Amino acid sequence: MNLLLVEDDQLLGETICDGARQSGWRVHHVGDASSARAALVDHAYAAVLLDIGLPGDSGLAVLRAMRVRYDSTPVLILTARGRLSERIAGLDAGADDYLVKPFQFDELWARLRSVIRRSQGRVVPVFTHGDIQIDRSRRVVKKAGADVILSAQEYRTLLALIERPGHVVTRDHLHDIVYGTTSDVESNTIAVFIHQLRRKLGDDLIRTVHGLGYIVGQPT
């Protein structure tokens, strides 16, 4: 399984990475909020180990951006901020668990296994539109019973549209879901993802509403 570690303390980060690899995990380590956002857009992880105090922006901002994009990857917060109010803020932002520094590594791995188990046991709805099904718990998309391979960006674009059948979703909103509100990615990338989704799932799935955005199904 792949983990994302977001930790700006280089020595602690290297120590966690060494322990993770010894425990059989593959780990990607970044040290700031911007790098974390980029990694989460481009890759899928079994879980995220997230520090709150990061250069550039807080870990809570990274976490909130994940949940806005329908990214349900389990998040274990690692922080020296142990006050009750701060723990509550982290959990309310969408964290699955909270571990205060300094911690024992055996507890870290136990909590990590726990949040992953809980995430795998969640009851997550399967979205259906015609012959297309999206299983959010496994991030699997099927058309007429056959698996369809989508990139992470294509998947998030499709999910944002198919969750709102009959409603126009603006290009700006899709951009924010796929990349986050602070991204300066070129504006035509959403059109590229829409093109790829039509190629893989059928030209009639997503309709363009000129000057506004895109829609799945008939307007309500």
PDB file of all heavy atoms in Angstrom, residues 177-210:
ATOM      1  N   ILE A 177     -12.812  21.283  -7.837  1.00  0.00           N
ATOM      2  CA  ILE A 177     -12.898  19.923  -7.324  1.00  0.00           C
ATOM      3  C   ILE A 177     -11.687  19.098  -7.732  1.00  0.00           C
ATOM      4  O   ILE A 177     -11.123  18.344  -6.945  1.00  0.00           O
ATOM      5  CB  ILE A 177     -14.204  19.252  -7.810  1.00  0.00           C
ATOM      6  CG1 ILE A 177     -15.391  19.838  -7.052  1.00  0.00           C
ATOM      7  CG2 ILE A 177     -14.145  17.740  -7.650  1.00  0.00           C
ATOM      8  CD1 ILE A 177     -16.725  19.372  -7.558  1.00  0.00           C
ATOM      9  N   VAL A 178     -11.258  19.258  -8.966  1.00  0.00           N
ATOM     10  CA  VAL A 178     -10.148  18.447  -9.476  1.00  0.00           C
ATOM     11  C   VAL A 178      -8.812  18.917  -8.939  1.00  0.00           C
ATOM     12  O   VAL A 178      -7.972  18.114  -8.519  1.00  0.00           O
ATOM     13  CB  VAL A 178     -10.139  18.457 -11.021  1.00  0.00           C
ATOM     14  CG1 VAL A 178      -8.899  17.750 -11.560  1.00  0.00           C
ATOM     15  CG2 VAL A 178     -11.399  17.793 -11.562  1.00  0.00           C
ATOM     16  N   TYR A 179      -8.608  20.235  -8.905  1.00  0.00           N
ATOM     17  CA  TYR A 179      -7.288  20.757  -8.581  1.00  0.00           C
ATOM     18  C   TYR A 179      -7.213  21.542  -7.279  1.00  0.00           C
ATOM     19  O   TYR A 179      -6.115  21.796  -6.773  1.00  0.00           O
ATOM     20  CB  TYR A 179      -6.805  21.677  -9.714  1.00  0.00           C
ATOM     21  CG  TYR A 179      -6.434  20.936 -10.968  1.00  0.00           C
ATOM     22  CD1 TYR A 179      -7.222  21.051 -12.104  1.00  0.00           C
ATOM     23  CD2 TYR A 179      -5.319  20.118 -11.013  1.00  0.00           C
ATOM     24  CE1 TYR A 179      -6.892  20.371 -13.271  1.00  0.00           C
ATOM     25  CE2 TYR A 179      -4.979  19.437 -12.163  1.00  0.00           C
ATOM     26  CZ  TYR A 179      -5.766  19.563 -13.293  1.00  0.00           C
ATOM     27  OH  TYR A 179      -5.435  18.883 -14.427  1.00  0.00           O
ATOM     28  N   GLY A 180      -8.352  21.967  -6.735  1.00  0.00           N
ATOM     29  CA  GLY A 180      -8.309  22.843  -5.564  1.00  0.00           C
ATOM     30  C   GLY A 180      -8.415  24.297  -5.991  1.00  0.00           C
ATOM     31  O   GLY A 180      -8.075  24.665  -7.113  1.00  0.00           O
ATOM     32  N   THR A 181      -8.849  25.122  -5.060  1.00  0.00           N
ATOM     33  CA  THR A 181      -9.160  26.515  -5.407  1.00  0.00           C
ATOM     34  C   THR A 181      -7.925  27.365  -5.657  1.00  0.00           C
ATOM     35  O   THR A 181      -8.027  28.425  -6.256  1.00  0.00           O
ATOM     36  CB  THR A 181      -9.981  27.162  -4.287  1.00  0.00           C
ATOM     37  OG1 THR A 181      -9.244  27.051  -3.048  1.00  0.00           O
ATOM     38  CG2 THR A 181     -11.319  26.473  -4.135  1.00  0.00           C
ATOM     39  N   THR A 182      -6.735  26.916  -5.213  1.00  0.00           N
ATOM     40  CA  THR A 182      -5.539  27.741  -5.365  1.00  0.00           C
ATOM     41  C   THR A 182      -4.707  27.379  -6.584  1.00  0.00           C
ATOM     42  O   THR A 182      -3.674  27.980  -6.821  1.00  0.00           O
ATOM     43  CB  THR A 182      -4.656  27.622  -4.106  1.00  0.00           C
ATOM     44  OG1 THR A 182      -4.255  26.249  -3.949  1.00  0.00           O
ATOM     45  CG2 THR A 182      -5.413  28.072  -2.867  1.00  0.00           C
ATOM     46  N   SER A 183      -5.166  26.404  -7.356  1.00  0.00           N
ATOM     47  CA  SER A 183      -4.365  25.936  -8.480  1.00  0.00           C
ATOM     48  C   SER A 183      -4.404  26.933  -9.633  1.00  0.00           C
ATOM     49  O   SER A 183      -5.408  27.585  -9.895  1.00  0.00           O
ATOM     50  CB  SER A 183      -4.883  24.576  -8.958  1.00  0.00           C
ATOM     51  OG  SER A 183      -4.222  24.184 -10.139  1.00  0.00           O
ATOM     52  N   ASP A 184      -3.285  27.045 -10.353  1.00  0.00           N
ATOM     53  CA  ASP A 184      -3.226  27.903 -11.530  1.00  0.00           C
ATOM     54  C   ASP A 184      -3.062  27.076 -12.803  1.00  0.00           C
ATOM     55  O   ASP A 184      -2.494  27.516 -13.787  1.00  0.00           O
ATOM     56  CB  ASP A 184      -2.082  28.915 -11.400  1.00  0.00           C
ATOM     57  CG  ASP A 184      -0.724  28.242 -11.227  1.00  0.00           C
ATOM     58  OD1 ASP A 184      -0.680  26.994 -11.147  1.00  0.00           O
ATOM     59  OD2 ASP A 184       0.293  28.970 -11.160  1.00  0.00           O
ATOM     60  N   VAL A 185      -3.576  25.834 -12.777  1.00  0.00           N
ATOM     61  CA  VAL A 185      -3.516  24.967 -13.942  1.00  0.00           C
ATOM     62  C   VAL A 185      -4.317  25.592 -15.080  1.00  0.00           C
ATOM     63  O   VAL A 185      -5.321  26.262 -14.863  1.00  0.00           O
ATOM     64  CB  VAL A 185      -4.085  23.570 -13.597  1.00  0.00           C
ATOM     65  CG1 VAL A 185      -4.137  22.682 -14.834  1.00  0.00           C
ATOM     66  CG2 VAL A 185      -3.240  22.912 -12.512  1.00  0.00           C
ATOM     67  N   GLU A 186      -3.879  25.372 -16.308  1.00  0.00           N
ATOM     68  CA  GLU A 186      -4.546  25.965 -17.464  1.00  0.00           C
ATOM     69  C   GLU A 186      -6.025  25.596 -17.489  1.00  0.00           C
ATOM     70  O   GLU A 186      -6.408  24.462 -17.193  1.00  0.00           O
ATOM     71  CB  GLU A 186      -3.875  25.491 -18.748  1.00  0.00           C
ATOM     72  CG  GLU A 186      -2.448  26.004 -18.919  1.00  0.00           C
ATOM     73  CD  GLU A 186      -1.831  25.547 -20.221  1.00  0.00           C
ATOM     74  OE1 GLU A 186      -2.573  24.966 -21.045  1.00  0.00           O
ATOM     75  OE2 GLU A 186      -0.634  25.755 -20.409  1.00  0.00           O
ATOM     76  N   SER A 187      -6.861  26.559 -17.881  1.00  0.00           N
ATOM     77  CA  SER A 187      -8.303  26.397 -17.783  1.00  0.00           C
ATOM     78  C   SER A 187      -8.858  25.351 -18.739  1.00  0.00           C
ATOM     79  O   SER A 187      -9.947  24.830 -18.522  1.00  0.00           O
ATOM     80  CB  SER A 187      -8.994  27.739 -18.044  1.00  0.00           C
ATOM     81  OG  SER A 187      -8.651  28.225 -19.332  1.00  0.00           O
ATOM     82  N   ASN A 188      -8.142  25.028 -19.819  1.00  0.00           N
ATOM     83  CA  ASN A 188      -8.692  24.090 -20.797  1.00  0.00           C
ATOM     84  C   ASN A 188      -8.530  22.637 -20.380  1.00  0.00           C
ATOM     85  O   ASN A 188      -8.980  21.733 -21.105  1.00  0.00           O
ATOM     86  CB  ASN A 188      -8.043  24.311 -22.168  1.00  0.00           C
ATOM     87  CG  ASN A 188      -6.562  23.944 -22.173  1.00  0.00           C
ATOM     88  OD1 ASN A 188      -5.932  23.848 -21.123  1.00  0.00           O
ATOM     89  ND2 ASN A 188      -6.032  23.745 -23.356  1.00  0.00           N
ATOM     90  N   THR A 189      -7.909  22.371 -19.246  1.00  0.00           N
ATOM     91  CA  THR A 189      -7.702  20.976 -18.833  1.00  0.00           C
ATOM     92  C   THR A 189      -9.022  20.279 -18.537  1.00  0.00           C
ATOM     93  O   THR A 189      -9.150  19.076 -18.773  1.00  0.00           O
ATOM     94  CB  THR A 189      -6.784  20.896 -17.604  1.00  0.00           C
ATOM     95  OG1 THR A 189      -7.332  21.693 -16.549  1.00  0.00           O
ATOM     96  CG2 THR A 189      -5.391  21.365 -17.932  1.00  0.00           C
ATOM     97  N   ILE A 190     -10.024  20.984 -18.005  1.00  0.00           N
ATOM     98  CA  ILE A 190     -11.318  20.362 -17.742  1.00  0.00           C
ATOM     99  C   ILE A 190     -11.935  19.879 -19.051  1.00  0.00           C
ATOM    100  O   ILE A 190     -12.499  18.781 -19.117  1.00  0.00           O
ATOM    101  CB  ILE A 190     -12.258  21.338 -17.013  1.00  0.00           C
ATOM    102  CG1 ILE A 190     -11.706  21.667 -15.618  1.00  0.00           C
ATOM    103  CG2 ILE A 190     -13.659  20.749 -16.909  1.00  0.00           C
ATOM    104  CD1 ILE A 190     -11.525  20.473 -14.711  1.00  0.00           C
ATOM    105  N   ALA A 191     -11.822  20.674 -20.090  1.00  0.00           N
ATOM    106  CA  ALA A 191     -12.345  20.255 -21.392  1.00  0.00           C
ATOM    107  C   ALA A 191     -11.652  18.979 -21.873  1.00  0.00           C
ATOM    108  O   ALA A 191     -12.287  18.117 -22.503  1.00  0.00           O
ATOM    109  CB  ALA A 191     -12.172  21.372 -22.415  1.00  0.00           C
ATOM    110  N   VAL A 192     -10.376  18.855 -21.588  1.00  0.00           N
ATOM    111  CA  VAL A 192      -9.637  17.650 -21.963  1.00  0.00           C
ATOM    112  C   VAL A 192     -10.194  16.436 -21.222  1.00  0.00           C
ATOM    113  O   VAL A 192     -10.410  15.360 -21.808  1.00  0.00           O
ATOM    114  CB  VAL A 192      -8.132  17.817 -21.679  1.00  0.00           C
ATOM    115  CG1 VAL A 192      -7.392  16.496 -21.906  1.00  0.00           C
ATOM    116  CG2 VAL A 192      -7.544  18.913 -22.566  1.00  0.00           C
ATOM    117  N   PHE A 193     -10.453  16.583 -19.907  1.00  0.00           N
ATOM    118  CA  PHE A 193     -11.000  15.470 -19.129  1.00  0.00           C
ATOM    119  C   PHE A 193     -12.393  15.094 -19.624  1.00  0.00           C
ATOM    120  O   PHE A 193     -12.735  13.902 -19.679  1.00  0.00           O
ATOM    121  CB  PHE A 193     -11.045  15.820 -17.639  1.00  0.00           C
ATOM    122  CG  PHE A 193      -9.697  16.115 -17.037  1.00  0.00           C
ATOM    123  CD1 PHE A 193      -9.560  17.040 -16.022  1.00  0.00           C
ATOM    124  CD2 PHE A 193      -8.560  15.468 -17.488  1.00  0.00           C
ATOM    125  CE1 PHE A 193      -8.328  17.317 -15.464  1.00  0.00           C
ATOM    126  CE2 PHE A 193      -7.317  15.733 -16.944  1.00  0.00           C
ATOM    127  CZ  PHE A 193      -7.200  16.669 -15.932  1.00  0.00           C
ATOM    128  N   ILE A 194     -13.210  16.082 -19.958  1.00  0.00           N
ATOM    129  CA  ILE A 194     -14.544  15.812 -20.490  1.00  0.00           C
ATOM    130  C   ILE A 194     -14.442  15.018 -21.794  1.00  0.00           C
ATOM    131  O   ILE A 194     -15.180  14.042 -22.017  1.00  0.00           O
ATOM    132  CB  ILE A 194     -15.323  17.122 -20.725  1.00  0.00           C
ATOM    133  CG1 ILE A 194     -15.575  17.846 -19.388  1.00  0.00           C
ATOM    134  CG2 ILE A 194     -16.628  16.843 -21.447  1.00  0.00           C
ATOM    135  CD1 ILE A 194     -16.491  17.132 -18.437  1.00  0.00           C
ATOM    136  N   HIS A 195     -13.506  15.417 -22.640  1.00  0.00           N
ATOM    137  CA  HIS A 195     -13.289  14.696 -23.909  1.00  0.00           C
ATOM    138  C   HIS A 195     -12.916  13.240 -23.642  1.00  0.00           C
ATOM    139  O   HIS A 195     -13.439  12.318 -24.300  1.00  0.00           O
ATOM    140  CB  HIS A 195     -12.194  15.391 -24.717  1.00  0.00           C
ATOM    141  CG  HIS A 195     -11.771  14.620 -25.932  1.00  0.00           C
ATOM    142  ND1 HIS A 195     -12.512  14.562 -27.094  1.00  0.00           N
ATOM    143  CD2 HIS A 195     -10.661  13.848 -26.145  1.00  0.00           C
ATOM    144  CE1 HIS A 195     -11.889  13.800 -27.967  1.00  0.00           C
ATOM    145  NE2 HIS A 195     -10.762  13.361 -27.427  1.00  0.00           N
ATOM    146  N   GLN A 196     -12.021  13.015 -22.685  1.00  0.00           N
ATOM    147  CA  GLN A 196     -11.589  11.649 -22.373  1.00  0.00           C
ATOM    148  C   GLN A 196     -12.744  10.828 -21.798  1.00  0.00           C
ATOM    149  O   GLN A 196     -12.896   9.627 -22.107  1.00  0.00           O
ATOM    150  CB  GLN A 196     -10.416  11.684 -21.399  1.00  0.00           C
ATOM    151  CG  GLN A 196      -9.134  12.256 -21.969  1.00  0.00           C
ATOM    152  CD  GLN A 196      -8.594  11.438 -23.118  1.00  0.00           C
ATOM    153  OE1 GLN A 196      -8.782  10.230 -23.194  1.00  0.00           O
ATOM    154  NE2 GLN A 196      -7.933  12.101 -24.061  1.00  0.00           N
ATOM    155  N   LEU A 197     -13.561  11.445 -20.937  1.00  0.00           N
ATOM    156  CA  LEU A 197     -14.704  10.734 -20.367  1.00  0.00           C
ATOM    157  C   LEU A 197     -15.705  10.343 -21.450  1.00  0.00           C
ATOM    158  O   LEU A 197     -16.258   9.231 -21.428  1.00  0.00           O
ATOM    159  CB  LEU A 197     -15.381  11.599 -19.301  1.00  0.00           C
ATOM    160  CG  LEU A 197     -14.605  11.770 -17.999  1.00  0.00           C
ATOM    161  CD1 LEU A 197     -15.273  12.821 -17.116  1.00  0.00           C
ATOM    162  CD2 LEU A 197     -14.497  10.445 -17.247  1.00  0.00           C
ATOM    163  N   ARG A 198     -15.945  11.227 -22.394  1.00  0.00           N
ATOM    164  CA  ARG A 198     -16.851  10.893 -23.492  1.00  0.00           C
ATOM    165  C   ARG A 198     -16.285   9.751 -24.332  1.00  0.00           C
ATOM    166  O   ARG A 198     -17.028   8.860 -24.774  1.00  0.00           O
ATOM    167  CB  ARG A 198     -17.086  12.129 -24.365  1.00  0.00           C
ATOM    168  CG  ARG A 198     -18.000  13.175 -23.724  1.00  0.00           C
ATOM    169  CD  ARG A 198     -17.980  14.468 -24.494  1.00  0.00           C
ATOM    170  NE  ARG A 198     -18.975  15.420 -23.995  1.00  0.00           N
ATOM    171  CZ  ARG A 198     -18.934  16.723 -24.195  1.00  0.00           C
ATOM    172  NH1 ARG A 198     -17.917  17.237 -24.907  1.00  0.00           N
ATOM    173  NH2 ARG A 198     -19.867  17.508 -23.708  1.00  0.00           N
ATOM    174  N   ARG A 199     -14.984   9.776 -24.556  1.00  0.00           N
ATOM    175  CA  ARG A 199     -14.359   8.717 -25.350  1.00  0.00           C
ATOM    176  C   ARG A 199     -14.481   7.360 -24.652  1.00  0.00           C
ATOM    177  O   ARG A 199     -14.735   6.339 -25.307  1.00  0.00           O
ATOM    178  CB  ARG A 199     -12.889   9.059 -25.587  1.00  0.00           C
ATOM    179  CG  ARG A 199     -12.151   8.050 -26.462  1.00  0.00           C
ATOM    180  CD  ARG A 199     -10.714   8.477 -26.701  1.00  0.00           C
ATOM    181  NE  ARG A 199      -9.940   8.528 -25.474  1.00  0.00           N
ATOM    182  CZ  ARG A 199      -9.377   7.456 -24.899  1.00  0.00           C
ATOM    183  NH1 ARG A 199      -9.517   6.250 -25.465  1.00  0.00           N
ATOM    184  NH2 ARG A 199      -8.666   7.582 -23.806  1.00  0.00           N
ATOM    185  N   LYS A 200     -14.332   7.362 -23.328  1.00  0.00           N
ATOM    186  CA  LYS A 200     -14.334   6.100 -22.577  1.00  0.00           C
ATOM    187  C   LYS A 200     -15.731   5.635 -22.187  1.00  0.00           C
ATOM    188  O   LYS A 200     -15.966   4.417 -22.038  1.00  0.00           O
ATOM    189  CB  LYS A 200     -13.474   6.250 -21.317  1.00  0.00           C
ATOM    190  CG  LYS A 200     -12.000   6.496 -21.602  1.00  0.00           C
ATOM    191  CD  LYS A 200     -11.216   6.712 -20.304  1.00  0.00           C
ATOM    192  CE  LYS A 200      -9.737   6.977 -20.596  1.00  0.00           C
ATOM    193  NZ  LYS A 200      -8.945   7.174 -19.345  1.00  0.00           N
ATOM    194  N   LEU A 201     -16.663   6.581 -21.992  1.00  0.00           N
ATOM    195  CA  LEU A 201     -17.976   6.230 -21.441  1.00  0.00           C
ATOM    196  C   LEU A 201     -19.139   6.525 -22.385  1.00  0.00           C
ATOM    197  O   LEU A 201     -20.281   6.204 -22.055  1.00  0.00           O
ATOM    198  CB  LEU A 201     -18.198   6.977 -20.121  1.00  0.00           C
ATOM    199  CG  LEU A 201     -17.212   6.643 -19.008  1.00  0.00           C
ATOM    200  CD1 LEU A 201     -17.397   7.588 -17.815  1.00  0.00           C
ATOM    201  CD2 LEU A 201     -17.369   5.195 -18.565  1.00  0.00           C
ATOM    202  N   GLY A 202     -18.860   7.136 -23.521  1.00  0.00           N
ATOM    203  CA  GLY A 202     -19.920   7.417 -24.483  1.00  0.00           C
ATOM    204  C   GLY A 202     -20.129   8.906 -24.688  1.00  0.00           C
ATOM    205  O   GLY A 202     -20.154   9.681 -23.727  1.00  0.00           O
ATOM    206  N   ASP A 203     -20.308   9.287 -25.944  1.00  0.00           N
ATOM    207  CA  ASP A 203     -20.453  10.702 -26.283  1.00  0.00           C
ATOM    208  C   ASP A 203     -21.705  11.332 -25.696  1.00  0.00           C
ATOM    209  O   ASP A 203     -21.761  12.556 -25.507  1.00  0.00           O
ATOM    210  CB  ASP A 203     -20.476  10.878 -27.809  1.00  0.00           C
ATOM    211  CG  ASP A 203     -19.127  10.613 -28.444  1.00  0.00           C
ATOM    212  OD1 ASP A 203     -18.108  10.748 -27.739  1.00  0.00           O
ATOM    213  OD2 ASP A 203     -19.098  10.265 -29.644  1.00  0.00           O
ATOM    214  N   ASP A 204     -22.723  10.507 -25.405  1.00  0.00           N
ATOM    215  CA  ASP A 204     -23.993  11.060 -24.955  1.00  0.00           C
ATOM    216  C   ASP A 204     -24.090  11.202 -23.438  1.00  0.00           C
ATOM    217  O   ASP A 204     -25.121  11.652 -22.930  1.00  0.00           O
ATOM    218  CB  ASP A 204     -25.156  10.192 -25.446  1.00  0.00           C
ATOM    219  CG  ASP A 204     -25.028   8.744 -24.988  1.00  0.00           C
ATOM    220  OD1 ASP A 204     -23.931   8.369 -24.508  1.00  0.00           O
ATOM    221  OD2 ASP A 204     -26.011   7.989 -25.105  1.00  0.00           O
ATOM    222  N   LEU A 205     -23.031  10.843 -22.705  1.00  0.00           N
ATOM    223  CA  LEU A 205     -23.104  10.909 -21.238  1.00  0.00           C
ATOM    224  C   LEU A 205     -23.103  12.348 -20.740  1.00  0.00           C
ATOM    225  O   LEU A 205     -23.937  12.733 -19.917  1.00  0.00           O
ATOM    226  CB  LEU A 205     -21.921  10.151 -20.622  1.00  0.00           C
ATOM    227  CG  LEU A 205     -21.786  10.284 -19.100  1.00  0.00           C
ATOM    228  CD1 LEU A 205     -22.987   9.672 -18.392  1.00  0.00           C
ATOM    229  CD2 LEU A 205     -20.485   9.655 -18.602  1.00  0.00           C
ATOM    230  N   ILE A 206     -22.172  13.148 -21.218  1.00  0.00           N
ATOM    231  CA  ILE A 206     -21.985  14.516 -20.714  1.00  0.00           C
ATOM    232  C   ILE A 206     -22.297  15.499 -21.827  1.00  0.00           C
ATOM    233  O   ILE A 206     -21.719  15.414 -22.921  1.00  0.00           O
ATOM    234  CB  ILE A 206     -20.535  14.717 -20.220  1.00  0.00           C
ATOM    235  CG1 ILE A 206     -20.188  13.695 -19.137  1.00  0.00           C
ATOM    236  CG2 ILE A 206     -20.344  16.142 -19.701  1.00  0.00           C
ATOM    237  CD1 ILE A 206     -18.713  13.651 -18.790  1.00  0.00           C
ATOM    238  N   ARG A 207     -23.211  16.422 -21.551  1.00  0.00           N
ATOM    239  CA  ARG A 207     -23.552  17.446 -22.525  1.00  0.00           C
ATOM    240  C   ARG A 207     -22.943  18.783 -22.123  1.00  0.00           C
ATOM    241  O   ARG A 207     -22.870  19.108 -20.935  1.00  0.00           O
ATOM    242  CB  ARG A 207     -25.070  17.595 -22.650  1.00  0.00           C
ATOM    243  CG  ARG A 207     -25.752  16.369 -23.239  1.00  0.00           C
ATOM    244  CD  ARG A 207     -27.200  16.656 -23.613  1.00  0.00           C
ATOM    245  NE  ARG A 207     -27.991  17.051 -22.453  1.00  0.00           N
ATOM    246  CZ  ARG A 207     -28.496  18.254 -22.255  1.00  0.00           C
ATOM    247  NH1 ARG A 207     -28.270  19.225 -23.143  1.00  0.00           N
ATOM    248  NH2 ARG A 207     -29.228  18.510 -21.188  1.00  0.00           N
ATOM    249  N   THR A 208     -22.496  19.524 -23.100  1.00  0.00           N
ATOM    250  CA  THR A 208     -21.965  20.868 -22.871  1.00  0.00           C
ATOM    251  C   THR A 208     -23.109  21.876 -22.875  1.00  0.00           C
ATOM    252  O   THR A 208     -23.956  21.856 -23.776  1.00  0.00           O
ATOM    253  CB  THR A 208     -20.951  21.244 -23.961  1.00  0.00           C
ATOM    254  OG1 THR A 208     -19.878  20.300 -23.958  1.00  0.00           O
ATOM    255  CG2 THR A 208     -20.385  22.649 -23.708  1.00  0.00           C
ATOM    256  N   VAL A 209     -23.139  22.719 -21.853  1.00  0.00           N
ATOM    257  CA  VAL A 209     -24.077  23.840 -21.818  1.00  0.00           C
ATOM    258  C   VAL A 209     -23.237  25.078 -22.079  1.00  0.00           C
ATOM    259  O   VAL A 209     -22.513  25.558 -21.192  1.00  0.00           O
ATOM    260  CB  VAL A 209     -24.802  23.935 -20.461  1.00  0.00           C
ATOM    261  CG1 VAL A 209     -25.786  25.102 -20.466  1.00  0.00           C
ATOM    262  CG2 VAL A 209     -25.514  22.624 -20.145  1.00  0.00           C
ATOM    263  N   HIS A 210     -23.285  25.577 -23.293  1.00  0.00           N
ATOM    264  CA  HIS A 210     -22.359  26.611 -23.743  1.00  0.00           C
ATOM    265  C   HIS A 210     -22.454  27.866 -22.863  1.00  0.00           C
ATOM    266  O   HIS A 210     -23.539  28.356 -22.559  1.00  0.00           O
ATOM    267  CB  HIS A 210     -22.634  26.966 -25.203  1.00  0.00           C
ATOM    268  CG  HIS A 210     -22.322  25.835 -26.140  1.00  0.00           C
ATOM    269  ND1 HIS A 210     -21.026  25.440 -26.406  1.00  0.00           N
ATOM    270  CD2 HIS A 210     -23.133  24.996 -26.834  1.00  0.00           C
ATOM    271  CE1 HIS A 210     -21.047  24.423 -27.252  1.00  0.00           C
ATOM    272  NE2 HIS A 210     -22.311  24.128 -27.511  1.00  0.00           N
TER     273      HIS A 210
END
